Amino acid sequence: MAKRKVEESSGGEASWMNTFADLMNLLLCFFVLLFAMSTVDAEKWDQLIKSMNKSSFSILSSGGASVGDGMMIASGVSQLEMLDDYFKEKTNSADKEAEESEPKDKEGEPTAEEEVIEEFDAMGLKESEEMAQQIEQMLKEKQIETQAEVDVNAQFVRITLNGALLFDSAKSQIREDALPLVDKLSMILENYDSNQIEIEGHTDNVPISNGKYENNDVLSAYRAFAVKDYVLEHTALEPGKIYAAGCGEYNPVADNSTAEGRARNRRVEIKIYNSYNSN
């Protein structure tokens, strides 16, 4: 016997009712919400807003904003007194230790550049002192040690001659009786043909004015060049190694208010630079 096929129901007759019912529920909720909002108690609303301010949610009493402002309430444990200051002190100490651990020049100690300059000056001074000893020995051998003064620094050895021994008053020509002294000095200078040599003329502050020298600057320059020219004529030194300059009255070594001081200021200086400071 043939089986009868069971007809399946499509169920479409009532499906729209489910959708309609959901829509009605949503509309009902919407209108209830509108009604509730339209009848809000203003006083209660203000209380709600105030209860939700920032301080109400602070873990510190009285709405404290930092650890130092209130009391900790977790597990009933009270805050440590001056805890803010404690953390600040610890932080500053850590920063200070970090700065001290960084390599840097300590206050009062020379920098690397200053140490190099000091070492350079020390070597120059040592050489200048050795040169001075040699020059003093040669001055003694030539028996003119009493007519010249020798001093040193880190740059040069200076031989100072009294101007009265070399020149007459207000003159720039070397005196005849001073030529043997200049000859002997020239022989000494020949030993330093690789060094820079500078000859300076100095005067006192007594004004001078004549047809040839209008002031002390000009007179001192003429005297310096007179010594330079004589040395070049009587030695084999290179002209490019010897310089001359007039310093006038501006570098006194004694008081110009006394005759003795003015006599010391009238001088010729011969500077022999060491190898560290020669061009």
Side-chain angles (χ1 to χ4, degrees), residues 27-268:
L27 288 174
L28 178 62
C29 292
F30 176 71
F31 285 112
V32 169
L33 179 62
L34 289 179
F35 177 78
M37 292 179 64
S38 63
T39 59
V40 172
D41 190 328
E43 182 178 353
K44 292 183 178 180
W45 179 259
D46 290 338
Q47 292 178 356
L48 176 62
I49 295 300
K50 291 180 181 180
S51 67
M52 297 178 66
N53 61 22
K54 180 179 179 181
S55 61
S56 297
F57 291 96
S58 173
I59 64 171
L60 305 176
S61 63
S62 302
S66 69
V67 175
D69 292 336
M71 299 291 290
M72 291 183 178
I73 61 173
S75 301
V77 179
S78 297
Q79 148 190 353
L80 294 175
E81 295 184 0
M82 306 301 290
L83 193 56
D84 274 356
D85 294 338
Y86 174 78
F87 279 112
K88 290 178 181 178
E89 182 179 353
K90 285 295 183 181
T91 303
N92 294 336
S93 299
D95 293 341
K96 185 176 180 181
E97 290 177 0
E99 292 178 359
E100 291 177 351
S101 64
E102 295 179 357
K104 62 180 181 179
D105 296 323
K106 296 181 179 179
E107 185 178 356
E109 292 186 0
T111 63
E113 182 179 357
E114 291 172 341
E115 289 179 351
V116 172
I117 295 175
E118 289 179 0
E119 183 177 356
F120 182 85
D121 289 343
M123 292 186 296
L125 180 60
K126 181 179 179 180
E127 182 178 321
S128 293
E129 291 174 344
E130 293 174 353
M131 291 169 55
Q133 292 177 358
Q134 297 171 358
I135 292 172
E136 288 176 343
Q137 182 62 33
M138 288 185 283
L139 290 173
K140 290 180 181 179
E141 292 174 356
K142 299 182 181 302
Q143 298 180 348
I144 57 174
E145 71 275 10
T146 59
Q147 298 172 288
E149 296 180 3
V150 179
D151 62 279
V152 302
N153 60 29
Q155 295 180 314
F156 52 76
V157 178
R158 177 167 46 206
I159 303 173
T160 303
L161 304 172
N162 191 321
L165 297 175
L166 302 178
F167 307 100
D168 291 326
S169 179
K171 302 290 184 180
S172 63
Q173 184 178 359
I174 300 175
R175 294 172 50 174
E176 289 292 330
D177 58 353
L179 293 178
L181 171 62
V182 182
D183 285 331
K184 293 177 180 180
L185 285 173
S186 299
M187 295 172 63
I188 293 175
L189 295 180
E190 277 190 306
N191 293 281
Y192 303 96
D193 55 349
S194 62
N195 298 69
Q196 177 183 329
I197 299 173
E198 185 173 355
I199 301 173
E200 294 180 350
H202 298 264
T203 68
D204 56 29
N205 65 347
V206 177
I208 180 175
S209 180
N210 54 38
K212 189 172 182 180
Y213 314 110
E214 57 185 75
N215 53 46
N216 284 322
D217 292 347
V218 176
L219 176 60
S220 64
Y222 268 83
R223 288 179 172 179
F225 276 94
V227 175
K228 172 189 173 182
D229 293 341
Y230 190 91
V231 171
L232 289 175
E233 290 174 2
H234 295 82
T235 64
L237 293 172
E238 297 180 10
K241 289 290 186 179
I242 302 181
Y243 303 87
C247 299
E249 61 192 67
Y250 305 109
N251 296 295
V253 294
D255 189 358
N256 275 310
S257 63
T258 65
E260 182 181 0
R262 289 192 295 271
R264 290 192 61 192
N265 291 331
R266 295 190 296 269
R267 68 196 189 278
V268 173

